[in-house]
Amino acid sequence: MSYRGPEFDVPQPRRFRHGPLAVALAVLVAGALLGWLVYEGVGGADGSPRAASSAPGLSGDDGKRGADTSSAAGGGALRGKVVVIDPGHNPGNVRHPAEINRQVDIGTNRKECDTTGTSTNAGYPEAKFTLDLAHRLRVLLQREGATVKLTHDGDSPPWGPCVDERARIGNAAHADAAISLHADGSAAGNRGFHVIMPGAVHAGAADTRRIVGPSHELGTRLKGAFARETGEAPADYLGEGTGLVTRTDLGGLNLSKVPKVFLECGNMRDSTDAALLTSGAWRQKAARGISEGIMSFLRES
């Protein structure tokens, strides 16, 4: 981050002739600055988006900021588009069992506000995975001109939000597309990713009839782009190998008024999938795949 001080006339210093020592120091400083800029531009050793802190609308070393808004500058293919990213679960949920276990209305029935999510056998939590992936995806979409909103940013709020509130955040933003990021906790040996799309629901506060079609289109484009960028195959344990699943029991989909899908990026309980999900370089590929899928959908919408 650069800082420009108060604009006033600074007294001009006396001019001195530069000796050999001054010239050497100047060269060393310039070289160090150039090296830092190159490191920031190419990214960290684990593939993390080191340039995130200087991307439009971001702040902090890891690109985090509040979850309410995260807007992009000027031009780009997605200028004028709004995307809501919903990182599944929350790292703080484990410390708030009473809050996340309370029941909320999802239209078809009542379910827990939220859950802690799953984890790899080595203890890498789904909530940490989804938040990291959301940060990477946000940077890529903002570079294309999109306005991006997160439903939460780990510590804001410190738990949740509840599944019904996650849907309302997308609705209030009038999102052109919304995606909830997850990783599955199926049995070891089950591999692959799948996209969950809303089924037709019209009960209580839930009415998905207007978004079923566009959500299916979003899911189909997301599946293709995610597979291309990551090299991963669709799940071999559900969806009959199509990578596409329709459900009517998820509050985040039932209560959505905007095109929305869930993406289960892999199975955390399978050692092969877990090795991918815990890799920063692979998560960057996943973010690119998701971004490409969303862009493909929004260009046609």
Side-chain angles (χ1 to χ4, degrees), residues 5 9 59 72-73 124 232 249 286-287:
D9 292 331
S59 62
Y124 179 65
E232 291 305 296
D249 63 329

Side-chain angles (χ1 to χ4, degrees), residues 182-216:
H182 290 267
D184 210 357
S186 185
N190 292 338
R191 290 207 56 207
F193 73 93
H194 64 279
V195 182
I196 304 173
M197 304 171 298
V201 173
H202 186 207
D207 187 355
T208 63
R209 292 174 295 177
R210 294 181 61 183
I211 69 164
V212 166
S215 295
H216 188 277

Side-chain angles (χ1 to χ4, degrees), residues 39-52 61-62 132 136 279-284:
Y39 175 75
E40 288 293 303
V42 301
D46 65 349
S48 60
R50 295 290 302 171
D61 290 340
D62 61 352
D132 177 86
R136 296 169 187 270
S279 163
W282 186 88
R283 291 195 298 273
Q284 192 64 23

Side-chain angles (χ1 to χ4, degrees), residues 53-122:
S53 60
S54 61
L58 300 178
S59 62
D61 290 340
D62 61 352
K64 288 179 61 177
R65 59 171 288 177
D68 53 350
T69 61
S70 186
S71 56
L78 299 185
R79 181 179 182 182
K81 299 293 186 179
V82 177
V83 178
V84 168
I85 304 173
D86 177 27
H89 314 288
N90 187 321
N93 280 0
V94 68
R95 297 186 295 275
H96 296 271
E99 290 87 347
I100 67 170
N101 285 329
R102 70 180 179 85
Q103 300 283 301
V104 298
D105 185 2
I106 66 166
T108 53
N109 60 295
R110 298 182 69 83
K111 291 185 72 172
E112 293 85 359
C113 158
D114 201 3
T115 69
T116 59
T118 187
S119 66
T120 65
N121 293 331

Side-chain angles (χ1 to χ4, degrees), residues 29-45 48-52 54 143:
V29 171
L33 178 59
L34 178 60
W36 179 83
L37 289 173
V38 169
Y39 175 75
E40 288 293 303
V42 301
S48 60
R50 295 290 302 171
S54 61
R143 287 176 181 170

